Amino acid sequence: MSVTIKSAREIELMRESCRLLEIVHNELADIIKPGISTLDIDRYGEKRIRSLGGIPNFKNYNGYPASICVSVNDEVVHGIPNKHRILQEGDIVSLDAGLIYKGYHSDAARTYGVGQVSPEAQKLMDVTKQSFFEGIKFAKAGNHLHDISNAIGNYAQSFGYGVVRDLVGHGIGTSLHEDPQIPNFPQRSKGIRLQPGMTLAIEPMITMGRPEVCWLDDDWTVVTEDESLAAHYENTVLITDGEPEILTLTLK
């Protein structure tokens, strides 16, 4: 395993890449409403990424055909945008997006309700988001990587939710996916010791039912096997000498 430690200059470039991505996510949140197609979301996101001087890092990544992963209801991640997939009142939709700025990647995901959603769906989204924040309480130099995994998984499972095991978080920098892998479920091993300068994409993927997932025939879209709702929340995080810095969550 080769985990990169970023220099001060690299960290500044990561900060800017992540700041631009945060702008895109905030604007995407504003267009989520019943009647919009998932392709409309993708087109808006790609156009905005490019207008800010970034490059969509998901587009053509291992053959993925879009810039924004748009996953609806029981789709966990990697949903492919489609002009015929129209968001309906009560849906939940996860947007996973990233960009490259001067050679450095950013990655973040959010799950939103479309119009009015059920209390059960809202709770799933809230718990998924909070599980991220439970995890990064341990994202400090000197702690171990799996302290983060254990905190995320234990929190989500305390609500009876499933924690997806087939997909994990990851390091990030000059590549979209770097070492280390970051599970969202409790681990027996400690994992590597965290050091200042590590940049990590921490991304709980939580289901309302069981944790098992499967891939659709498009070889990208991951869905829950039991067709239960799924939510996804992700930020790119910098390990520092003190509290972790959430690079994709800075704007007030």
Side-chain angles (χ1 to χ4, degrees), residues 76 124 127 131 149-168 182-187 203-213 231:
V76 183
L124 174 67
V127 168
S131 69
S149 306
N150 296 344
I152 290 171
N154 288 332
Y155 182 79
Q157 289 171 354
S158 73
F159 292 87
Y161 292 147
V163 180
V164 173
R165 291 170 174 260
D166 289 3
L167 300 144
V168 297
I182 310 168
N184 296 306
F185 48 94
Q187 302 291 299
E203 51 177 323
M205 289 160 271
I206 310 299
T207 75
M208 196 177 283
R210 295 196 50 77
E212 291 81 13
V213 298

PDB file of all heavy atoms in Angstrom, residues 76 124 127 131 149-168 182-187 203-213 231:
ATOM      1  N   VAL A  76     -27.747   2.618  -5.160  1.00  0.00           N
ATOM      2  CA  VAL A  76     -26.799   3.052  -4.137  1.00  0.00           C
ATOM      3  C   VAL A  76     -25.829   4.076  -4.714  1.00  0.00           C
ATOM      4  O   VAL A  76     -25.644   5.164  -4.167  1.00  0.00           O
ATOM      5  CB  VAL A  76     -26.023   1.836  -3.580  1.00  0.00           C
ATOM      6  CG1 VAL A  76     -25.077   2.281  -2.462  1.00  0.00           C
ATOM      7  CG2 VAL A  76     -26.977   0.760  -3.081  1.00  0.00           C
ATOM      8  N   LEU A 124     -33.273   8.164   7.007  1.00  0.00           N
ATOM      9  CA  LEU A 124     -32.156   7.459   6.375  1.00  0.00           C
ATOM     10  C   LEU A 124     -31.113   8.452   5.874  1.00  0.00           C
ATOM     11  O   LEU A 124     -29.902   8.261   6.085  1.00  0.00           O
ATOM     12  CB  LEU A 124     -32.652   6.597   5.214  1.00  0.00           C
ATOM     13  CG  LEU A 124     -31.561   5.918   4.381  1.00  0.00           C
ATOM     14  CD1 LEU A 124     -30.837   4.856   5.201  1.00  0.00           C
ATOM     15  CD2 LEU A 124     -32.145   5.307   3.109  1.00  0.00           C
ATOM     16  N   VAL A 127     -29.304  10.038   8.960  1.00  0.00           N
ATOM     17  CA  VAL A 127     -28.380   9.122   9.632  1.00  0.00           C
ATOM     18  C   VAL A 127     -27.142   8.878   8.774  1.00  0.00           C
ATOM     19  O   VAL A 127     -26.014   8.815   9.285  1.00  0.00           O
ATOM     20  CB  VAL A 127     -29.087   7.794   9.979  1.00  0.00           C
ATOM     21  CG1 VAL A 127     -28.081   6.730  10.410  1.00  0.00           C
ATOM     22  CG2 VAL A 127     -30.124   8.017  11.079  1.00  0.00           C
ATOM     23  N   SER A 131     -23.497   9.729  10.015  1.00  0.00           N
ATOM     24  CA  SER A 131     -22.503   8.668  10.166  1.00  0.00           C
ATOM     25  C   SER A 131     -21.140   9.130   9.653  1.00  0.00           C
ATOM     26  O   SER A 131     -20.093   8.746  10.202  1.00  0.00           O
ATOM     27  CB  SER A 131     -22.953   7.390   9.462  1.00  0.00           C
ATOM     28  OG  SER A 131     -22.959   7.518   8.063  1.00  0.00           O
ATOM     29  N   SER A 149     -13.809   3.768  10.206  1.00  0.00           N
ATOM     30  CA  SER A 149     -14.729   2.723   9.725  1.00  0.00           C
ATOM     31  C   SER A 149     -15.660   2.259  10.843  1.00  0.00           C
ATOM     32  O   SER A 149     -16.875   2.114  10.647  1.00  0.00           O
ATOM     33  CB  SER A 149     -13.933   1.527   9.193  1.00  0.00           C
ATOM     34  OG  SER A 149     -13.001   1.917   8.216  1.00  0.00           O
ATOM     35  N   ASN A 150     -15.072   2.001  12.011  1.00  0.00           N
ATOM     36  CA  ASN A 150     -15.859   1.473  13.127  1.00  0.00           C
ATOM     37  C   ASN A 150     -16.921   2.472  13.569  1.00  0.00           C
ATOM     38  O   ASN A 150     -18.070   2.089  13.854  1.00  0.00           O
ATOM     39  CB  ASN A 150     -14.932   1.136  14.297  1.00  0.00           C
ATOM     40  CG  ASN A 150     -13.949   0.029  13.966  1.00  0.00           C
ATOM     41  OD1 ASN A 150     -14.126  -0.700  12.993  1.00  0.00           O
ATOM     42  ND2 ASN A 150     -12.891  -0.090  14.754  1.00  0.00           N
ATOM     43  N   ALA A 151     -16.552   3.748  13.626  1.00  0.00           N
ATOM     44  CA  ALA A 151     -17.510   4.765  14.074  1.00  0.00           C
ATOM     45  C   ALA A 151     -18.663   4.919  13.089  1.00  0.00           C
ATOM     46  O   ALA A 151     -19.835   5.019  13.494  1.00  0.00           O
ATOM     47  CB  ALA A 151     -16.790   6.097  14.274  1.00  0.00           C
ATOM     48  N   ILE A 152     -18.357   4.921  11.790  1.00  0.00           N
ATOM     49  CA  ILE A 152     -19.407   5.022  10.773  1.00  0.00           C
ATOM     50  C   ILE A 152     -20.360   3.842  10.879  1.00  0.00           C
ATOM     51  O   ILE A 152     -21.581   4.000  10.967  1.00  0.00           O
ATOM     52  CB  ILE A 152     -18.793   5.082   9.360  1.00  0.00           C
ATOM     53  CG1 ILE A 152     -18.069   6.409   9.135  1.00  0.00           C
ATOM     54  CG2 ILE A 152     -19.873   4.881   8.287  1.00  0.00           C
ATOM     55  CD1 ILE A 152     -17.257   6.450   7.848  1.00  0.00           C
ATOM     56  N   GLY A 153     -19.795   2.636  10.851  1.00  0.00           N
ATOM     57  CA  GLY A 153     -20.623   1.436  10.833  1.00  0.00           C
ATOM     58  C   GLY A 153     -21.437   1.257  12.094  1.00  0.00           C
ATOM     59  O   GLY A 153     -22.627   0.924  12.029  1.00  0.00           O
ATOM     60  N   ASN A 154     -20.825   1.482  13.240  1.00  0.00           N
ATOM     61  CA  ASN A 154     -21.550   1.297  14.503  1.00  0.00           C
ATOM     62  C   ASN A 154     -22.709   2.277  14.625  1.00  0.00           C
ATOM     63  O   ASN A 154     -23.792   1.921  15.111  1.00  0.00           O
ATOM     64  CB  ASN A 154     -20.601   1.440  15.690  1.00  0.00           C
ATOM     65  CG  ASN A 154     -19.656   0.268  15.831  1.00  0.00           C
ATOM     66  OD1 ASN A 154     -19.979  -0.843  15.433  1.00  0.00           O
ATOM     67  ND2 ASN A 154     -18.483   0.507  16.395  1.00  0.00           N
ATOM     68  N   TYR A 155     -22.495   3.504  14.182  1.00  0.00           N
ATOM     69  CA  TYR A 155     -23.574   4.496  14.256  1.00  0.00           C
ATOM     70  C   TYR A 155     -24.737   4.098  13.353  1.00  0.00           C
ATOM     71  O   TYR A 155     -25.894   4.058  13.791  1.00  0.00           O
ATOM     72  CB  TYR A 155     -23.044   5.879  13.872  1.00  0.00           C
ATOM     73  CG  TYR A 155     -24.093   6.963  13.965  1.00  0.00           C
ATOM     74  CD1 TYR A 155     -24.443   7.507  15.199  1.00  0.00           C
ATOM     75  CD2 TYR A 155     -24.751   7.432  12.829  1.00  0.00           C
ATOM     76  CE1 TYR A 155     -25.420   8.493  15.300  1.00  0.00           C
ATOM     77  CE2 TYR A 155     -25.716   8.423  12.917  1.00  0.00           C
ATOM     78  CZ  TYR A 155     -26.049   8.939  14.156  1.00  0.00           C
ATOM     79  OH  TYR A 155     -27.020   9.913  14.241  1.00  0.00           O
ATOM     80  N   ALA A 156     -24.453   3.789  12.091  1.00  0.00           N
ATOM     81  CA  ALA A 156     -25.532   3.449  11.152  1.00  0.00           C
ATOM     82  C   ALA A 156     -26.257   2.172  11.574  1.00  0.00           C
ATOM     83  O   ALA A 156     -27.496   2.095  11.505  1.00  0.00           O
ATOM     84  CB  ALA A 156     -24.973   3.295   9.740  1.00  0.00           C
ATOM     85  N   GLN A 157     -25.500   1.190  12.027  1.00  0.00           N
ATOM     86  CA  GLN A 157     -26.119  -0.074  12.415  1.00  0.00           C
ATOM     87  C   GLN A 157     -26.962   0.058  13.674  1.00  0.00           C
ATOM     88  O   GLN A 157     -27.884  -0.730  13.885  1.00  0.00           O
ATOM     89  CB  GLN A 157     -25.026  -1.139  12.592  1.00  0.00           C
ATOM     90  CG  GLN A 157     -24.419  -1.576  11.274  1.00  0.00           C
ATOM     91  CD  GLN A 157     -23.194  -2.456  11.426  1.00  0.00           C
ATOM     92  OE1 GLN A 157     -22.709  -2.677  12.539  1.00  0.00           O
ATOM     93  NE2 GLN A 157     -22.678  -2.961  10.316  1.00  0.00           N
ATOM     94  N   SER A 158     -26.682   1.066  14.498  1.00  0.00           N
ATOM     95  CA  SER A 158     -27.481   1.266  15.716  1.00  0.00           C
ATOM     96  C   SER A 158     -28.918   1.649  15.389  1.00  0.00           C
ATOM     97  O   SER A 158     -29.806   1.532  16.244  1.00  0.00           O
ATOM     98  CB  SER A 158     -26.834   2.338  16.605  1.00  0.00           C
ATOM     99  OG  SER A 158     -27.005   3.643  16.061  1.00  0.00           O
ATOM    100  N   PHE A 159     -29.174   2.074  14.153  1.00  0.00           N
ATOM    101  CA  PHE A 159     -30.533   2.397  13.699  1.00  0.00           C
ATOM    102  C   PHE A 159     -31.169   1.230  12.955  1.00  0.00           C
ATOM    103  O   PHE A 159     -32.282   1.366  12.434  1.00  0.00           O
ATOM    104  CB  PHE A 159     -30.500   3.636  12.799  1.00  0.00           C
ATOM    105  CG  PHE A 159     -30.145   4.899  13.532  1.00  0.00           C
ATOM    106  CD1 PHE A 159     -28.811   5.261  13.698  1.00  0.00           C
ATOM    107  CD2 PHE A 159     -31.125   5.722  14.065  1.00  0.00           C
ATOM    108  CE1 PHE A 159     -28.472   6.420  14.377  1.00  0.00           C
ATOM    109  CE2 PHE A 159     -30.800   6.874  14.756  1.00  0.00           C
ATOM    110  CZ  PHE A 159     -29.460   7.226  14.918  1.00  0.00           C
ATOM    111  N   GLY A 160     -30.464   0.115  12.881  1.00  0.00           N
ATOM    112  CA  GLY A 160     -30.989  -1.045  12.172  1.00  0.00           C
ATOM    113  C   GLY A 160     -30.758  -0.994  10.679  1.00  0.00           C
ATOM    114  O   GLY A 160     -31.315  -1.807   9.933  1.00  0.00           O
ATOM    115  N   TYR A 161     -29.922  -0.063  10.223  1.00  0.00           N
ATOM    116  CA  TYR A 161     -29.678   0.083   8.794  1.00  0.00           C
ATOM    117  C   TYR A 161     -28.575  -0.869   8.326  1.00  0.00           C
ATOM    118  O   TYR A 161     -27.752  -1.334   9.120  1.00  0.00           O
ATOM    119  CB  TYR A 161     -29.268   1.516   8.462  1.00  0.00           C
ATOM    120  CG  TYR A 161     -30.355   2.543   8.639  1.00  0.00           C
ATOM    121  CD1 TYR A 161     -30.059   3.834   9.055  1.00  0.00           C
ATOM    122  CD2 TYR A 161     -31.694   2.235   8.391  1.00  0.00           C
ATOM    123  CE1 TYR A 161     -31.048   4.793   9.207  1.00  0.00           C
ATOM    124  CE2 TYR A 161     -32.691   3.184   8.546  1.00  0.00           C
ATOM    125  CZ  TYR A 161     -32.365   4.459   8.958  1.00  0.00           C
ATOM    126  OH  TYR A 161     -33.347   5.395   9.111  1.00  0.00           O
ATOM    127  N   GLY A 162     -28.553  -1.119   7.020  1.00  0.00           N
ATOM    128  CA  GLY A 162     -27.483  -1.897   6.420  1.00  0.00           C
ATOM    129  C   GLY A 162     -26.345  -0.988   5.988  1.00  0.00           C
ATOM    130  O   GLY A 162     -26.576   0.130   5.515  1.00  0.00           O
ATOM    131  N   VAL A 163     -25.140  -1.457   6.159  1.00  0.00           N
ATOM    132  CA  VAL A 163     -23.949  -0.719   5.725  1.00  0.00           C
ATOM    133  C   VAL A 163     -23.329  -1.492   4.562  1.00  0.00           C
ATOM    134  O   VAL A 163     -22.897  -2.631   4.728  1.00  0.00           O
ATOM    135  CB  VAL A 163     -22.940  -0.565   6.868  1.00  0.00           C
ATOM    136  CG1 VAL A 163     -21.720   0.213   6.383  1.00  0.00           C
ATOM    137  CG2 VAL A 163     -23.582   0.128   8.063  1.00  0.00           C
ATOM    138  N   VAL A 164     -23.298  -0.870   3.391  1.00  0.00           N
ATOM    139  CA  VAL A 164     -22.804  -1.538   2.181  1.00  0.00           C
ATOM    140  C   VAL A 164     -21.339  -1.934   2.369  1.00  0.00           C
ATOM    141  O   VAL A 164     -20.506  -1.117   2.811  1.00  0.00           O
ATOM    142  CB  VAL A 164     -22.960  -0.618   0.955  1.00  0.00           C
ATOM    143  CG1 VAL A 164     -22.296  -1.219  -0.277  1.00  0.00           C
ATOM    144  CG2 VAL A 164     -24.448  -0.372   0.690  1.00  0.00           C
ATOM    145  N   ARG A 165     -21.032  -3.183   2.043  1.00  0.00           N
ATOM    146  CA  ARG A 165     -19.677  -3.712   2.220  1.00  0.00           C
ATOM    147  C   ARG A 165     -18.918  -3.856   0.904  1.00  0.00           C
ATOM    148  O   ARG A 165     -17.690  -3.972   0.908  1.00  0.00           O
ATOM    149  CB  ARG A 165     -19.744  -5.076   2.920  1.00  0.00           C
ATOM    150  CG  ARG A 165     -20.200  -4.940   4.375  1.00  0.00           C
ATOM    151  CD  ARG A 165     -20.498  -6.281   5.022  1.00  0.00           C
ATOM    152  NE  ARG A 165     -20.788  -6.076   6.438  1.00  0.00           N
ATOM    153  CZ  ARG A 165     -19.925  -6.281   7.425  1.00  0.00           C
ATOM    154  NH1 ARG A 165     -18.703  -6.710   7.151  1.00  0.00           N
ATOM    155  NH2 ARG A 165     -20.254  -6.056   8.683  1.00  0.00           N
ATOM    156  N   ASP A 166     -19.632  -3.862  -0.196  1.00  0.00           N
ATOM    157  CA  ASP A 166     -18.981  -4.100  -1.490  1.00  0.00           C
ATOM    158  C   ASP A 166     -18.333  -2.851  -2.073  1.00  0.00           C
ATOM    159  O   ASP A 166     -17.645  -2.929  -3.102  1.00  0.00           O
ATOM    160  CB  ASP A 166     -19.997  -4.647  -2.499  1.00  0.00           C
ATOM    161  CG  ASP A 166     -20.421  -6.071  -2.174  1.00  0.00           C
ATOM    162  OD1 ASP A 166     -19.968  -6.602  -1.146  1.00  0.00           O
ATOM    163  OD2 ASP A 166     -21.208  -6.652  -2.945  1.00  0.00           O
ATOM    164  N   LEU A 167     -18.556  -1.703  -1.464  1.00  0.00           N
ATOM    165  CA  LEU A 167     -17.999  -0.433  -1.937  1.00  0.00           C
ATOM    166  C   LEU A 167     -17.460   0.325  -0.732  1.00  0.00           C
ATOM    167  O   LEU A 167     -18.064   0.302   0.345  1.00  0.00           O
ATOM    168  CB  LEU A 167     -19.075   0.393  -2.633  1.00  0.00           C
ATOM    169  CG  LEU A 167     -19.708  -0.276  -3.860  1.00  0.00           C
ATOM    170  CD1 LEU A 167     -21.181   0.072  -3.956  1.00  0.00           C
ATOM    171  CD2 LEU A 167     -18.986   0.129  -5.119  1.00  0.00           C
ATOM    172  N   VAL A 168     -16.329   1.007  -0.919  1.00  0.00           N
ATOM    173  CA  VAL A 168     -15.662   1.658   0.200  1.00  0.00           C
ATOM    174  C   VAL A 168     -15.144   3.025  -0.223  1.00  0.00           C
ATOM    175  O   VAL A 168     -15.084   3.356  -1.409  1.00  0.00           O
ATOM    176  CB  VAL A 168     -14.492   0.797   0.721  1.00  0.00           C
ATOM    177  CG1 VAL A 168     -14.999  -0.537   1.263  1.00  0.00           C
ATOM    178  CG2 VAL A 168     -13.445   0.556  -0.380  1.00  0.00           C
ATOM    179  N   ILE A 182     -11.137   2.661   2.420  1.00  0.00           N
ATOM    180  CA  ILE A 182     -11.728   3.055   3.705  1.00  0.00           C
ATOM    181  C   ILE A 182     -13.101   2.402   3.848  1.00  0.00           C
ATOM    182  O   ILE A 182     -14.114   2.920   3.349  1.00  0.00           O
ATOM    183  CB  ILE A 182     -11.864   4.593   3.806  1.00  0.00           C
ATOM    184  CG1 ILE A 182     -10.530   5.276   3.453  1.00  0.00           C
ATOM    185  CG2 ILE A 182     -12.336   4.995   5.205  1.00  0.00           C
ATOM    186  CD1 ILE A 182     -10.639   6.766   3.250  1.00  0.00           C
ATOM    187  N   PRO A 183     -13.179   1.250   4.493  1.00  0.00           N
ATOM    188  CA  PRO A 183     -14.479   0.608   4.698  1.00  0.00           C
ATOM    189  C   PRO A 183     -15.387   1.479   5.571  1.00  0.00           C
ATOM    190  O   PRO A 183     -14.918   2.295   6.375  1.00  0.00           O
ATOM    191  CB  PRO A 183     -14.124  -0.698   5.414  1.00  0.00           C
ATOM    192  CG  PRO A 183     -12.665  -0.909   5.162  1.00  0.00           C
ATOM    193  CD  PRO A 183     -12.077   0.460   5.049  1.00  0.00           C
ATOM    194  N   ASN A 184     -16.683   1.272   5.417  1.00  0.00           N
ATOM    195  CA  ASN A 184     -17.674   1.986   6.225  1.00  0.00           C
ATOM    196  C   ASN A 184     -18.270   1.097   7.310  1.00  0.00           C
ATOM    197  O   ASN A 184     -19.236   1.487   7.955  1.00  0.00           O
ATOM    198  CB  ASN A 184     -18.796   2.511   5.330  1.00  0.00           C
ATOM    199  CG  ASN A 184     -18.304   3.538   4.338  1.00  0.00           C
ATOM    200  OD1 ASN A 184     -17.684   4.526   4.719  1.00  0.00           O
ATOM    201  ND2 ASN A 184     -18.549   3.295   3.058  1.00  0.00           N
ATOM    202  N   PHE A 185     -17.695  -0.068   7.515  1.00  0.00           N
ATOM    203  CA  PHE A 185     -18.239  -1.032   8.483  1.00  0.00           C
ATOM    204  C   PHE A 185     -17.120  -1.459   9.425  1.00  0.00           C
ATOM    205  O   PHE A 185     -15.926  -1.351   9.089  1.00  0.00           O
ATOM    206  CB  PHE A 185     -18.853  -2.230   7.761  1.00  0.00           C
ATOM    207  CG  PHE A 185     -17.986  -2.831   6.693  1.00  0.00           C
ATOM    208  CD1 PHE A 185     -17.150  -3.894   6.960  1.00  0.00           C
ATOM    209  CD2 PHE A 185     -17.996  -2.313   5.401  1.00  0.00           C
ATOM    210  CE1 PHE A 185     -16.338  -4.436   5.977  1.00  0.00           C
ATOM    211  CE2 PHE A 185     -17.185  -2.848   4.403  1.00  0.00           C
ATOM    212  CZ  PHE A 185     -16.355  -3.918   4.701  1.00  0.00           C
ATOM    213  N   PRO A 186     -17.460  -1.923  10.625  1.00  0.00           N
ATOM    214  CA  PRO A 186     -16.441  -2.244  11.630  1.00  0.00           C
ATOM    215  C   PRO A 186     -15.427  -3.274  11.138  1.00  0.00           C
ATOM    216  O   PRO A 186     -15.762  -4.219  10.438  1.00  0.00           O
ATOM    217  CB  PRO A 186     -17.271  -2.787  12.798  1.00  0.00           C
ATOM    218  CG  PRO A 186     -18.604  -2.124  12.650  1.00  0.00           C
ATOM    219  CD  PRO A 186     -18.827  -2.049  11.171  1.00  0.00           C
ATOM    220  N   GLN A 187     -14.179  -3.043  11.534  1.00  0.00           N
ATOM    221  CA  GLN A 187     -13.057  -3.881  11.127  1.00  0.00           C
ATOM    222  C   GLN A 187     -12.393  -4.512  12.346  1.00  0.00           C
ATOM    223  O   GLN A 187     -12.354  -3.913  13.422  1.00  0.00           O
ATOM    224  CB  GLN A 187     -12.020  -3.023  10.389  1.00  0.00           C
ATOM    225  CG  GLN A 187     -12.552  -2.315   9.164  1.00  0.00           C
ATOM    226  CD  GLN A 187     -12.866  -3.283   8.047  1.00  0.00           C
ATOM    227  OE1 GLN A 187     -11.999  -3.976   7.545  1.00  0.00           O
ATOM    228  NE2 GLN A 187     -14.130  -3.322   7.661  1.00  0.00           N
ATOM    229  N   GLU A 203     -16.932   8.023   2.609  1.00  0.00           N
ATOM    230  CA  GLU A 203     -18.244   8.029   1.963  1.00  0.00           C
ATOM    231  C   GLU A 203     -19.168   6.901   2.434  1.00  0.00           C
ATOM    232  O   GLU A 203     -19.293   5.879   1.759  1.00  0.00           O
ATOM    233  CB  GLU A 203     -18.077   7.980   0.448  1.00  0.00           C
ATOM    234  CG  GLU A 203     -17.185   6.890  -0.104  1.00  0.00           C
ATOM    235  CD  GLU A 203     -17.159   6.892  -1.623  1.00  0.00           C
ATOM    236  OE1 GLU A 203     -18.205   7.165  -2.253  1.00  0.00           O
ATOM    237  OE2 GLU A 203     -16.096   6.628  -2.197  1.00  0.00           O
ATOM    238  N   PRO A 204     -19.875   7.106   3.531  1.00  0.00           N
ATOM    239  CA  PRO A 204     -20.852   6.103   3.953  1.00  0.00           C
ATOM    240  C   PRO A 204     -21.925   5.872   2.888  1.00  0.00           C
ATOM    241  O   PRO A 204     -22.454   6.826   2.311  1.00  0.00           O
ATOM    242  CB  PRO A 204     -21.480   6.711   5.211  1.00  0.00           C
ATOM    243  CG  PRO A 204     -20.511   7.742   5.669  1.00  0.00           C
ATOM    244  CD  PRO A 204     -19.792   8.235   4.462  1.00  0.00           C
ATOM    245  N   MET A 205     -22.228   4.599   2.642  1.00  0.00           N
ATOM    246  CA  MET A 205     -23.337   4.175   1.775  1.00  0.00           C
ATOM    247  C   MET A 205     -24.222   3.263   2.623  1.00  0.00           C
ATOM    248  O   MET A 205     -23.804   2.163   2.991  1.00  0.00           O
ATOM    249  CB  MET A 205     -22.796   3.451   0.534  1.00  0.00           C
ATOM    250  CG  MET A 205     -22.107   4.383  -0.443  1.00  0.00           C
ATOM    251  SD  MET A 205     -20.988   3.534  -1.589  1.00  0.00           S
ATOM    252  CE  MET A 205     -19.462   3.551  -0.655  1.00  0.00           C
ATOM    253  N   ILE A 206     -25.413   3.739   2.936  1.00  0.00           N
ATOM    254  CA  ILE A 206     -26.259   3.118   3.948  1.00  0.00           C
ATOM    255  C   ILE A 206     -27.607   2.744   3.338  1.00  0.00           C
ATOM    256  O   ILE A 206     -28.165   3.518   2.541  1.00  0.00           O
ATOM    257  CB  ILE A 206     -26.475   4.079   5.141  1.00  0.00           C
ATOM    258  CG1 ILE A 206     -25.126   4.631   5.637  1.00  0.00           C
ATOM    259  CG2 ILE A 206     -27.239   3.395   6.260  1.00  0.00           C
ATOM    260  CD1 ILE A 206     -24.143   3.612   6.142  1.00  0.00           C
ATOM    261  N   THR A 207     -28.138   1.592   3.711  1.00  0.00           N
ATOM    262  CA  THR A 207     -29.428   1.138   3.179  1.00  0.00           C
ATOM    263  C   THR A 207     -30.459   1.025   4.296  1.00  0.00           C
ATOM    264  O   THR A 207     -30.117   0.780   5.459  1.00  0.00           O
ATOM    265  CB  THR A 207     -29.292  -0.232   2.494  1.00  0.00           C
ATOM    266  OG1 THR A 207     -29.158  -1.252   3.493  1.00  0.00           O
ATOM    267  CG2 THR A 207     -28.095  -0.279   1.557  1.00  0.00           C
ATOM    268  N   MET A 208     -31.705   1.162   3.907  1.00  0.00           N
ATOM    269  CA  MET A 208     -32.780   1.041   4.881  1.00  0.00           C
ATOM    270  C   MET A 208     -33.017  -0.419   5.271  1.00  0.00           C
ATOM    271  O   MET A 208     -33.603  -0.697   6.317  1.00  0.00           O
ATOM    272  CB  MET A 208     -34.064   1.665   4.331  1.00  0.00           C
ATOM    273  CG  MET A 208     -35.116   1.932   5.400  1.00  0.00           C
ATOM    274  SD  MET A 208     -36.579   2.751   4.729  1.00  0.00           S
ATOM    275  CE  MET A 208     -35.966   4.423   4.558  1.00  0.00           C
ATOM    276  N   GLY A 209     -32.537  -1.331   4.432  1.00  0.00           N
ATOM    277  CA  GLY A 209     -32.740  -2.749   4.700  1.00  0.00           C
ATOM    278  C   GLY A 209     -31.432  -3.481   4.903  1.00  0.00           C
ATOM    279  O   GLY A 209     -30.610  -3.085   5.732  1.00  0.00           O
ATOM    280  N   ARG A 210     -31.209  -4.484   4.109  1.00  0.00           N
ATOM    281  CA  ARG A 210     -29.996  -5.293   4.233  1.00  0.00           C
ATOM    282  C   ARG A 210     -28.838  -4.660   3.454  1.00  0.00           C
ATOM    283  O   ARG A 210     -29.072  -3.855   2.553  1.00  0.00           O
ATOM    284  CB  ARG A 210     -30.267  -6.718   3.750  1.00  0.00           C
ATOM    285  CG  ARG A 210     -31.279  -7.456   4.635  1.00  0.00           C
ATOM    286  CD  ARG A 210     -31.255  -8.956   4.403  1.00  0.00           C
ATOM    287  NE  ARG A 210     -29.898  -9.483   4.459  1.00  0.00           N
ATOM    288  CZ  ARG A 210     -29.200  -9.700   5.576  1.00  0.00           C
ATOM    289  NH1 ARG A 210     -29.724  -9.403   6.756  1.00  0.00           N
ATOM    290  NH2 ARG A 210     -27.971 -10.201   5.518  1.00  0.00           N
ATOM    291  N   PRO A 211     -27.605  -5.032   3.775  1.00  0.00           N
ATOM    292  CA  PRO A 211     -26.463  -4.372   3.137  1.00  0.00           C
ATOM    293  C   PRO A 211     -26.092  -4.913   1.763  1.00  0.00           C
ATOM    294  O   PRO A 211     -25.295  -4.282   1.069  1.00  0.00           O
ATOM    295  CB  PRO A 211     -25.321  -4.648   4.130  1.00  0.00           C
ATOM    296  CG  PRO A 211     -25.700  -5.927   4.802  1.00  0.00           C
ATOM    297  CD  PRO A 211     -27.205  -5.905   4.893  1.00  0.00           C
ATOM    298  N   GLU A 212     -26.664  -6.043   1.350  1.00  0.00           N
ATOM    299  CA  GLU A 212     -26.235  -6.655   0.098  1.00  0.00           C
ATOM    300  C   GLU A 212     -26.660  -5.822  -1.103  1.00  0.00           C
ATOM    301  O   GLU A 212     -27.782  -5.297  -1.141  1.00  0.00           O
ATOM    302  CB  GLU A 212     -26.787  -8.071  -0.040  1.00  0.00           C
ATOM    303  CG  GLU A 212     -26.186  -9.079   0.929  1.00  0.00           C
ATOM    304  CD  GLU A 212     -26.800  -9.044   2.312  1.00  0.00           C
ATOM    305  OE1 GLU A 212     -27.869  -8.404   2.478  1.00  0.00           O
ATOM    306  OE2 GLU A 212     -26.221  -9.626   3.243  1.00  0.00           O
ATOM    307  N   VAL A 213     -25.761  -5.752  -2.094  1.00  0.00           N
ATOM    308  CA  VAL A 213     -26.034  -4.991  -3.315  1.00  0.00           C
ATOM    309  C   VAL A 213     -25.731  -5.863  -4.526  1.00  0.00           C
ATOM    310  O   VAL A 213     -25.067  -6.896  -4.426  1.00  0.00           O
ATOM    311  CB  VAL A 213     -25.182  -3.703  -3.382  1.00  0.00           C
ATOM    312  CG1 VAL A 213     -25.514  -2.779  -2.227  1.00  0.00           C
ATOM    313  CG2 VAL A 213     -23.685  -4.022  -3.410  1.00  0.00           C
ATOM    314  N   ALA A 231     -28.842   5.611   0.750  1.00  0.00           N
ATOM    315  CA  ALA A 231     -28.348   6.992   0.775  1.00  0.00           C
ATOM    316  C   ALA A 231     -26.828   6.985   0.793  1.00  0.00           C
ATOM    317  O   ALA A 231     -26.191   6.011   1.212  1.00  0.00           O
ATOM    318  CB  ALA A 231     -28.897   7.739   1.981  1.00  0.00           C
TER     319      ALA A 231
END
